[in-house]
């Protein structure tokens, strides 16, 4: 980072930063950004889906700006800094002659381009991956106390960005096993773990909800070659667009002639192999592998400076990629230019229609952690996602959003037209149906607990515990129970009501922070004769059954 930057580098980097600022200002939020904005409304050391850094970026952005730019400003800063760090990491005196080629390569990468302004967990992940590579390069050149501490802090930043960051750290360390004998490398690990202690504490206090969800509770589908493995290879192409043959050709031709290049190759191949193997178990999302873009910029740019053919084709096809990407980015703002109806379109108009109808009335959405924060962002109304057994748990399952809509008149919004009091139509002709509830009351944080594994047999008597985490008593007459039978992939096939009994029939309520033990008999499954997982759900006040229990494995 000591060498003087070429003026053209500063100019292009500055133009890219300004374009991202303008894009951020004029582009409505996507649903995930609204969800992470909801995170930032109450800062914490962790959240249901992700570590807290994405929320911190939004909180910092909100100090400088309002609206969409108040969500995205720090993403613009980090994406600009990422390119600066990558340029500084490349020690080649010829690079000053290829500034434009560097930017064509970087700006032609599709998702890397999008994360130039969208605020998602991958934004800080990419920044800290670039920074770790820069710091690691300096560390192997001069391992000392300073670089050891900086590398530890950088690894912590990675892990605070996204859990996938563990792959980046592991594969870099595997590329140089002699680090096991380096006291400053151990210092880095120690510093990283110390910095990460607040998140470990949060996980412990919240029953490791994030890890349990991602590793154990997520439903999955049976293996499908087209959807999983073939889809994975499609993602590898989508990351780079038209330049993909030359990007991977440069990767295949690059040899590990020093420790740093070896780390870059281990990181790319390690991530590719890890998610290829994972593709036999689940669908791989494109953003999960975006981290390879960072080492590949260094690898491919170095190769471009030595290979005229690759340089020529990446430059030509990269410009075409950039033109297509710019067209699509304009379409995010100006809908008539978009080839598809994207999620940035129509939301503001729909929010305005709903608010015209209800004013500042609280809004409760059925199964939508996407709509709840989007409406809260653009309306300022209190919102809540009421998650039932047909959906999944999310941040609304563990934060205090439920308390803000309790015992108030609310508009309950869903995709079901039955008993609707009002209908709203979006620009894409999709409909949202609303029903007024005069005194809304839900208890979605009630927990049902079963000992694992369960010995299942229809008609067999079983027990479960009901725990009340609230600071108030709950009338048991307001509750109904059911049992969900699931497949190996945690897909629910049967949802059957049960009538559990208490030992003391005189008990009519469950006290705050108290636990009751129920007995019940397993109802005979209608569809799934041999369930692999079982879960007890609760219906309160006639609402749909919730996700109150964990997926308990059957013997």
């Amino acid at each position: 980072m000591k060498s003087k930057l070429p003026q053209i580098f500063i100019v292009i980097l500055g133009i890219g930063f300004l374009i991202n600022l303008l894009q951020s200002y004029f582009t409505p939020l996507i649903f995930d950004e609204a969800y992470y904005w909801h995170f930032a409304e109450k800062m914490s050391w962790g959240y249901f889906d992700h570590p807290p850094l994405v929320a911190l970026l939004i909180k910092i952005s909100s100090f400088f700006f309002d609206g969409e730019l108040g969500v995205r400003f720090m993403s613009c800063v980090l994406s600009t800094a990422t390119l600066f760090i990558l340029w500084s990491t490349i020690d080649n005196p010829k690079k000053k002659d290829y500034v434009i080629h560097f930017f064509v390569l970087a700006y032609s990468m599709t998702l890397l381009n999008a994360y130039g302004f969208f605020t998602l967990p991958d934004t800080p992940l990419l920044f800290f991956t670039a920074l770790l590579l820069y710091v690691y390069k300096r560390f192997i050149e001069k391992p000392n106390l300073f670089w050891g501490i900086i590398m530890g802090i950088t690894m912590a930043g990675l892990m605070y960005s996204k859990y996938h960051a563990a792959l980046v750290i592991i594969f870099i360390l595997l590329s140089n096993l002699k680090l096991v004998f380096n006291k400053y490398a151990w210092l880095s690990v120690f510093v990283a773990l110390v910095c990460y202690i607040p998140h470990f504490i949060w996980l412990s206090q919240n029953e490791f909800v994030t890890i349990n969800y991602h590793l154990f509770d997520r439903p999955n589908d049976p293996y499908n070659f087209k959807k999983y493995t073939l889809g994975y290879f499609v993602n590898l192409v989508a990351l780079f667009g038209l330049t993909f043959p030359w990007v991977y050709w440069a990767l295949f031709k690059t040899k590990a002639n020093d420790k740093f290049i070896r780390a870059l190759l281990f990181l790319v191949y390690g991530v590719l192999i890890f998610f290829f193997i994972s593709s036999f178990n689940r669908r791989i999302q494109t953003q999960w592998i975006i981290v390879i873009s960072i080492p590949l910029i260094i690898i491919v740019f170095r190769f471009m400076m030595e290979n005229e053919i690759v340089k020529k084709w990446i430059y030509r096809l990269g410009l075409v990629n950039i033109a297509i990407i710019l067209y699509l980015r304009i379409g995010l703002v100006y809908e008539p230019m978009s080839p598809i109806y994207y999620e940035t379109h129509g939301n503001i108009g729909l929010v305005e229609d709903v608010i015209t109808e209800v004013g500042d009335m609280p809004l409760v959405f059925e199964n939508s952690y996407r709509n709840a924060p989007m409406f809260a962002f653009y309306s300022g109304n209190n919102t809540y996602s009421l998650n039932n057994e047909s959906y999944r748990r999310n941040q609304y399952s563990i934060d205090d959003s439920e308390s803000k809509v309790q015992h108030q008149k609310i508009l309950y919004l869903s995709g079901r037209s039955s008993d609707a009091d009002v209908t709203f139509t979006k620009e894409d002709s999709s409909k949202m149906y609303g029903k007024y509830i005069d005194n809304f009351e839900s208890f979605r944080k009630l927990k049902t607990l079963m000992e694992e594994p369960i010995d299942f047999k229809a008609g067999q008597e079983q027990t479960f515990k009901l725990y009340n985490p609230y600071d108030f008593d709950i009338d048991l007459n307001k509750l109904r129970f059911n049992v969900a039978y699931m497949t190996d992939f945690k897909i629910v096939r049967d949802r059957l009501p049960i009538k559990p009994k208490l030992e003391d029939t005189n008990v009519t309520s469950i006290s705050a922070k108290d636990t009751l033990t129920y007995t019940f008999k397993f109802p005979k499954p209608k569809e799934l004769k041999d369930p692999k997982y079982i879960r007890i759900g609760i219906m309160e006040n006639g609402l749909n059954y919730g996700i109150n229990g964990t997926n308990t494995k059957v013997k």
Side-chain angles (χ1 to χ4, degrees), residues 299-423:
I299 291 170
V300 176
F301 183 60
R302 284 167 53 97
F303 195 81
M304 287 171 66
M305 289 187 285
E306 305 297 333
N307 188 297
E308 191 65 31
I309 295 176
V310 171
K311 181 183 71 175
K312 177 180 68 175
W313 281 105
I314 286 184
Y315 184 77
R316 290 175 177 176
L317 296 174
L319 289 174
V320 177
N321 269 0
I322 291 171
I324 295 172
I325 291 170
L326 286 174
Y327 178 84
L328 293 175
R329 285 179 62 160
I330 294 172
L332 293 177
V333 180
Y334 185 59
E335 186 181 331
M337 285 188 63
S338 178
I340 60 171
Y341 189 83
Y342 192 60
E343 60 182 275
T344 57
H345 302 143
N347 293 316
I348 296 176
L350 182 61
V351 172
E352 290 173 347
D353 289 344
V354 173
I355 299 309
T356 299
E357 170 72 24
V358 303
D360 60 358
M361 182 184 296
L363 306 171
V364 176
F365 293 85
E366 181 179 274
N367 293 344
S368 187
Y369 72 88
R370 291 158 61 88
N371 279 318
M374 184 70 77
F375 274 72
F377 181 82
Y378 284 111
S379 72
N381 293 37
N382 284 329
T383 65
Y384 174 60
S385 175
L386 186 78
N387 310 309
N388 65 42
E389 62 185 355
S390 299
Y391 199 47
R392 76 166 182 89
R393 300 182 72 214
N394 48 61
Q395 182 61 24
Y396 288 94
S397 304
I398 64 172
D399 65 19
D400 63 351
S401 299
E402 183 183 47
S403 65
K404 296 178 181 178
V405 298
Q406 293 288 65
H407 301 291
Q408 299 183 59
K409 183 175 182 178
I410 61 102
L411 183 66
Y412 186 81
L413 292 153
S414 71
R416 296 180 293 110
S417 60
S418 57
D419 300 324
D421 297 316
V422 61
T423 302

Side-chain angles (χ1 to χ4, degrees), residues 17 67 87 158 201 207 213 230 235 285 296 300 312 319 338-339 349 368-369 399 416-417 442 478 544 552:
F17 177 66
W87 176 263
L158 260 174
I201 293 174
E207 302 176 332
Y213 173 71
L230 183 60
N235 288 338
Q285 298 179 24
L296 278 174
V300 176
K312 177 180 68 175
L319 289 174
S338 178
S368 187
Y369 72 88
D399 65 19
R416 296 180 293 110
S417 60
S442 65
K478 296 180 178 180
N544 288 334
T552 306

Side-chain angles (χ1 to χ4, degrees), residues 164-356:
H164 287 152
L167 298 177
V168 177
I169 297 169
I170 289 170
F171 290 127
I172 290 177
L173 294 179
L174 285 176
S175 73
N176 185 5
L177 293 178
K178 290 184 178 179
L179 290 172
V180 173
F181 306 104
N182 187 310
K183 62 182 180 181
Y184 296 115
W186 281 107
L187 173 64
S188 295
V189 174
F190 176 76
V191 170
L193 290 174
V194 169
C195 291
Y196 212 59
I197 284 175
H199 186 61
F200 284 135
I201 293 174
W202 181 90
L203 285 170
S204 177
Q205 291 173 340
N206 287 272
E207 302 176 332
F208 296 92
V209 62
T210 311
I211 295 172
N212 285 330
Y213 173 71
H214 286 301
L215 295 184
F216 306 114
D217 288 340
R218 292 183 84 148
N220 201 2
D221 295 319
Y223 177 71
N224 181 304
F225 173 77
K226 183 177 180 181
K227 182 179 178 180
Y228 286 11
T229 306
L230 183 60
Y232 166 70
F233 287 107
V234 171
N235 288 338
L236 293 183
V237 174
L239 275 179
F240 307 108
L242 297 174
T243 64
F244 83 92
W246 305 103
V247 168
Y248 291 117
W249 175 251
L251 171 66
F252 297 149
K253 297 297 289 184
T254 298
K255 305 300 179 185
N257 50 21
D258 61 47
K259 290 180 181 178
F260 182 66
I261 298 302
R262 181 179 171 84
L264 297 178
L265 293 175
F266 261 66
L267 176 52
V268 176
Y269 284 118
V271 170
L272 291 177
I273 292 170
F274 177 86
F275 283 113
F276 171 69
I277 295 172
S278 299
S279 74
F280 291 96
N281 175 258
R282 65 182 67 248
R283 184 175 68 86
I284 305 302
Q285 298 179 24
T286 314
Q287 66 268 26
W288 292 358
I289 53 178
I290 189 181
V291 73
I292 68 171
S293 301
I294 298 299
L296 278 174
I297 287 178
I298 301 174
I299 291 170
V300 176
F301 183 60
R302 284 167 53 97
F303 195 81
M304 287 171 66
M305 289 187 285
E306 305 297 333
N307 188 297
E308 191 65 31
I309 295 176
V310 171
K311 181 183 71 175
K312 177 180 68 175
W313 281 105
I314 286 184
Y315 184 77
R316 290 175 177 176
L317 296 174
L319 289 174
V320 177
N321 269 0
I322 291 171
I324 295 172
I325 291 170
L326 286 174
Y327 178 84
L328 293 175
R329 285 179 62 160
I330 294 172
L332 293 177
V333 180
Y334 185 59
E335 186 181 331
M337 285 188 63
S338 178
I340 60 171
Y341 189 83
Y342 192 60
E343 60 182 275
T344 57
H345 302 143
N347 293 316
I348 296 176
L350 182 61
V351 172
E352 290 173 347
D353 289 344
V354 173
I355 299 309
T356 299

